[in-house]
Amino acid sequence: MKPLAGVDAGGSHTEVVVGRPDLTVTARARGDAGRMPPGKASEAAAAILATVHRALEEAGGAADLEVMVVGAAGTGLEENCEALHAALAAGRVAARVHVTTDGAIALESAFPNGPGILLSAGTGSVAHARDADGVVWRVGGRGWRFGDEGSAYALGRAGISAALRGKDGRGPSTALAEAIPSAARAASDEEFQRWLLAVDVAAVARLAHVVWDAAVKGDRVSTELVTSGIDELVSHVQALLRRFPNDATVDVAMNGGLIAMGAPLRPAVVEALGRVAPQVHVVDVEVDPPLGALAVAARMAE
């Protein structure tokens, strides 16, 4: 049988694993963001396919795939999902292509055989749950314009706003007034203004670590922003707990650059969950979304 591929196409990067039906991974590659914005199917597919070809080369030069499963941010809308599917199928890299959400493949990795809640906070934020009947529920994941509360983008954007208020004297003094422009490599207010007018979502999200670092060093404004972000993430889990019996212990896994194993906000989120939701059991698992996609591909290949 030809190899299979699982793809995680997010807002900051695309990750591809190539493997066999027994989930043995023969290659793994990273590439440019493959998130699916409305009307951008060709661009998203190009980034995804370039990373897939890189993984195939690392796997020994196989020409194509039996099944490719792609979990992509932005495919919650049916028209986006269909557009990306068509663009990927046109690339003729796989005999069969299946497109789903990035949350679905992450949930598959975290809880392949049972119920649980997966909280994800990277560039964006979203939480998924599978209940005891196998029904999947979602909270959040509404996008950077009006949602993604508690995400790296939300924290970075809040940090920028706080820095601007501090510089203008419209808000409290904060270390972010210097730290944010410095991270943007802006040597003057004029350069910073130009940066603000051109900055994209991924660059804003990368500023989350600046806010976190300032909070660790005792900056009051940054600490408040981090605390607010943590509260937003906890609220995602609280909303999904309603899908489980009141007396049930509910496993919660966490994924994404802010809260995955070893990530900076994880201990604080775990502590906050324990304080407000004692029925939660946080499981220490390495969530591997492209491997979850590979597992779906393996089932399709049977």
Side-chain angles (χ1 to χ4, degrees):
M1 177 184 287
K2 295 176 181 178
L4 313 172
V7 181
D8 178 27
S12 60
H13 68 274
T14 294
E15 187 166 1
V16 176
V17 295
V18 173
R20 297 191 285 267
D22 64 359
L23 304 188
T24 299
V25 174
T26 56
R28 187 182 289 259
R30 275 199 173 202
D32 294 337
R35 182 181 182 276
M36 174 58 203
K40 300 291 186 180
S42 296
E43 293 87 339
I48 292 167
L49 292 172
T51 311
V52 170
H53 284 297
R54 190 175 306 128
L56 285 170
E57 289 175 4
E58 293 183 11
D64 55 6
L65 301 159
E66 181 67 27
V67 181
M68 177 173 70
V69 172
V70 177
T75 57
L77 294 175
E78 185 176 354
E79 58 265 33
N80 285 2
C81 186
E82 291 176 351
L84 182 59
H85 182 277
L88 290 170
R92 300 185 181 278
V93 73
R96 284 184 289 169
V97 176
H98 175 65
V99 176
T100 185
T101 65
D102 53 345
I105 61 170
L107 189 65
E108 177 72 26
S109 172
F111 300 107
N113 300 309
I117 295 173
L118 174 64
L119 175 64
S120 299
T123 301
S125 66
V126 67
H128 292 82
R130 183 187 294 118
D131 65 20
D133 296 322
V135 179
V136 175
W137 306 88
R138 188 189 82 170
V139 166
R142 303 301 182 181
W144 62 270
R145 286 184 177 88
F146 305 111
D148 285 350
E149 297 88 348
S151 67
Y153 171 81
L155 187 56
R157 186 191 186 286
I160 292 171
S161 295
L164 294 172
R165 289 194 300 270
K167 288 173 77 69
D168 289 347
R170 296 179 292 114
S173 176
T174 171
L176 296 175
E178 299 300 328
I180 293 285
S182 177
R185 298 182 179 179
S188 65
D189 284 348
E190 185 177 355
E191 286 186 12
F192 189 42
Q193 182 62 27
R194 283 198 293 269
W195 182 87
L196 290 171
L197 293 173
V199 68
D200 61 14
V201 170
V204 173
R206 287 193 290 270
L207 294 176
H209 80 276
V210 177
V211 181
W212 170 254
D213 289 345
V216 169
K217 293 174 182 176
D219 181 66
R220 181 176 62 83
V221 171
S222 301
T223 300
E224 291 174 355
L225 296 180
V226 170
T227 299
S228 177
I230 290 169
D231 290 344
E232 292 285 3
L233 294 176
V234 168
S235 73
H236 285 63
V237 176
Q238 288 177 297
L240 287 172
L241 286 173
R242 303 188 186 103
R243 305 297 180 180
F244 296 84
N246 290 334
D247 59 349
T249 298
V250 181
D251 287 342
V252 174
M254 295 195 288
N255 181 50
L258 288 183
I259 57 174
M261 297 281 287
L265 265 67
R266 184 183 180 93
V269 174
V270 172
E271 191 275 331
L273 282 170
R275 189 171 61 249
V276 303
Q279 72 271 45
V280 162
H281 172 237
V282 177
V283 293
D284 289 334
V285 296
E286 293 282 359
V287 181
D288 191 344
L291 194 59
L294 185 66
V296 177
R299 288 200 299 272
M300 291 179 62
E302 289 179 351

